[in-house]
Amino acid sequence: MAALQPARGTRDLLGEEWRRHLFVVDTARRIAACYGMEEWSTPVFEDTRVFSRSLGDTSDVVMKEMYSFTDRGGDSLTLRPEATAGICRALVSNGLTQSLPQKVFSTGPMFRYERPQKGRYRQFHQIDVEVLGAPEPLADAEVIACGWHVLKALGISGDVTLELNTLGDRASRDSYRAALVAYFTCHREALSADSRARLERNPLRIVDSKDEGDRRIVADAPTIAAYLTLEARDFWDRLRRHLDAFKVPFVENPRIVRGLDYYGHTAFEFVTTRLGAQGTVMGGGRYEGLVEEMGGPPTPGVGWAAGVERLAMLLASPPAPVPPVAVVPVGEAAEVAALALLQHLREAGIGAEMAYRGTLKRRLDRANRIKARAAVILGESEVAQGIVQVKDLATGEQKAVPLAEVAARLR
Ligand code: ATP
Ligand code: MG
């Protein structure tokens, strides 16, 4: 029978790779808690409308990347491509729209039908932070500071730059959009086919086009600065002041746009040059209207999502697992005492292993192979005396230790 493979764009995460992954998630969870974020876990699949409404029918994700299917009951469901929509839906479903702000941390697998390559998969994982119901720029700054803190705690902040932009309020965006349409219309013939299509639907998206030809045209395109209303400028000023106060370094990049209608004011990306084309490790911004699309009242939100795989690739070396100790019985008579000791050590929180069979020599070989830090050896005479021999496997040094003290010694 032919050996079966994982589905295209999916990966098994085992051993060191999964340890890196867990380190990223555990670190983010710990840091987010320091910022008052409560962890929510929402379903991996949702009513398709949760995403088609929130992401808009013209977004790349909805048009090309969603895993949607009709289930046996005839409902249209979609594997979540991102976390924000489900969190906004959960806010409404759980009657929390009057208990604001809600500060949320979330993590789990996401699904997008994309062309797989390094750092880009069809099942990948995100960590995600959202603050719902806070219109103040301080919320944006806090969310960004939390993201920066996660990258620092992972030891990768030196490889990452925070690129920050404002998209202004609706009025700023409307006049900016008109200016962009006028500019890009003059260069219509030189734009890529994708961008020509965006010219009518969503001209803002052309600004972050990855096409080389588009980029040359975008280089001279107007930026939003000249189109900001007084209120929008004030929001932008306050955000940058708060970030300075939080000591979060950033560079302004007018090309950072989150191409969705819901996004306004803050838009940001944490980018690295170490992952080739997949250089964005964390992206986010401020949005409004999403909670309304889920059937709730107008509620602003601000948040970010980061790809766990991309963060894991940037980690210098994964945290090593704590090596176990090996329990080594000598002769059948010591086996019962060895099992009791094995259980005693494990209950004391010490990683302990015992081979299922084998001579003293084989068991010691195996202890070295699994990189045990010590072997705890007991034969008939040790059992009789209530002691064990503790052998340090790095130095070879061995000494007798009373049974009652073993756990304390090894901890
Ligand atoms: P990209 O421009 O790389 O496609 P995006 O704008 O689609 O990213 P977001 O929707 O903002 O990404 O998702 C947030 C983060 O999730 C990204 O910055 C990235 O780190 C990660 N991510 C997105 N899509 C994938 C994927 N297919 N595989 C792995 N990680 C991903
Ligand atoms: Mg994408």
Side-chain angles (χ1 to χ4, degrees), residues 6 29 83 103 143 169 181 199 239 303 308 390 409:
R29 176 179 281 131
K103 300 166 71 170
V143 157
D169 50 17
V181 171
L199 192 50
L239 169 64
V308 176
V390 175
R409 290 280 185 100

Side-chain angles (χ1 to χ4, degrees), residues 35 37 101-103 129-147 235 238-239 242-243 246 266 268 285-287 300-304:
Y35 287 73
M37 310 285 171
Q102 289 286 333
K103 300 166 71 170
V129 155
E130 310 287 339
V131 172
L132 296 166
E136 299 83 0
L138 182 51
D140 308 51
E142 185 178 49
V143 157
I144 293 172
C146 177
F235 192 102
R238 286 201 282 161
L239 169 64
H242 294 323
L243 286 175
F246 282 142
T266 315
F268 62 91
R286 173 167 281 276
Y287 48 86
V302 56
W304 52 253

Side-chain angles (χ1 to χ4, degrees), residues 61 65 82 112 114 119-122 124-126 210 258 278 280-283 305-307 309-310:
V61 171
E65 297 175 1
E82 54 97 39
R112 296 186 192 179
E114 305 205 65
R120 190 176 296 284
Y121 311 100
R122 291 183 173 176
F124 62 102
H125 299 75
Q126 284 185 340
K210 301 203 163 77
R258 313 284 300 171
Q278 272 58 252
T280 307
V281 293
M282 183 184 286
E309 284 79 358
R310 293 187 196 176

Side-chain angles (χ1 to χ4, degrees), residues 340-357:
L341 175 62
L342 184 64
Q343 192 66 8
H344 171 67
L345 291 174
R346 288 172 171 173
E347 286 182 3
I350 295 166
E353 282 290 301
M354 189 176 117
Y356 297 127
R357 61 191 167 93

Side-chain angles (χ1 to χ4, degrees), residues 40-264:
W40 290 9
S41 173
T42 64
V44 164
F45 59 84
E46 297 265 4
D47 185 320
T48 294
R49 290 170 296 183
V50 168
F51 306 110
S52 59
R53 286 187 189 177
S54 62
L55 297 171
D57 298 332
T58 62
S59 70
D60 282 358
V61 171
V62 171
M63 292 204 313
K64 299 191 286 210
E65 297 175 1
M66 286 208 316
Y67 274 98
S68 299
F69 59 97
T70 306
D71 76 359
R72 289 168 197 276
D75 293 326
S76 175
L77 300 173
T78 294
L79 300 183
R80 62 180 180 197
E82 54 97 39
T84 314
I87 289 170
C88 290
R89 199 267 311 131
L91 182 85
V92 178
S93 309
N94 291 278
L96 293 169
T97 57
Q98 303 305 314
S99 317
L100 301 174
Q102 289 286 333
K103 300 166 71 170
V104 183
F105 169 78
S106 192
T107 181
M110 305 293 157
F111 306 86
R112 296 186 192 179
Y113 190 81
E114 305 205 65
R115 196 168 67 77
Q117 49 199 296
K118 185 177 169 237
R120 190 176 296 284
Y121 311 100
R122 291 183 173 176
Q123 173 173 327
F124 62 102
H125 299 75
Q126 284 185 340
I127 48 175
D128 183 283
V129 155
E130 310 287 339
V131 172
L132 296 166
E136 299 83 0
L138 182 51
D140 308 51
E142 185 178 49
V143 157
I144 293 172
C146 177
W148 173 241
H149 194 160
V150 170
L151 299 175
K152 270 206 296 194
L154 292 174
I156 60 180
S157 58
D159 294 319
V160 173
T161 306
L162 166 58
E163 304 199 337
L164 185 68
N165 191 24
T166 182
L167 305 174
D169 50 17
R170 175 120 0 228
S172 317
R173 243 165 11 257
D174 285 346
S175 43
Y176 180 47
R177 183 174 295 118
L180 279 181
V181 171
Y183 173 82
F184 287 128
T185 305
C186 293
H187 298 85
R188 196 170 191 288
E189 293 319 308
L191 287 173
S192 66
D194 272 353
S195 286
R196 273 203 299 276
R198 289 178 188 133
L199 192 50
E200 278 84 58
R201 291 198 320 249
N202 195 346
L204 228 63
R205 284 275 2 205
I206 303 176
V207 173
D208 75 348
S209 169
K210 301 203 163 77
D211 179 90
E212 273 304 315
D214 287 351
R215 277 172 178 265
R216 278 194 291 277
I217 300 170
V218 168
D220 294 321
T223 63
I224 199 164
Y227 302 90
L228 292 178
T229 62
L230 274 180
E231 289 82 356
R233 175 159 296 286
D234 178 58
F235 192 102
W236 179 224
D237 289 341
R238 286 201 282 161
L239 169 64
R240 288 174 299 172
R241 277 206 305 279
H242 294 323
L243 286 175
D244 287 340
F246 282 142
K247 299 196 165 50
V248 177
F250 61 88
V251 298
E252 294 179 28
N253 180 352
R255 306 296 164 213
I256 304 287
V257 294
R258 313 284 300 171
L260 304 177
D261 263 7
Y262 294 105
Y263 282 95

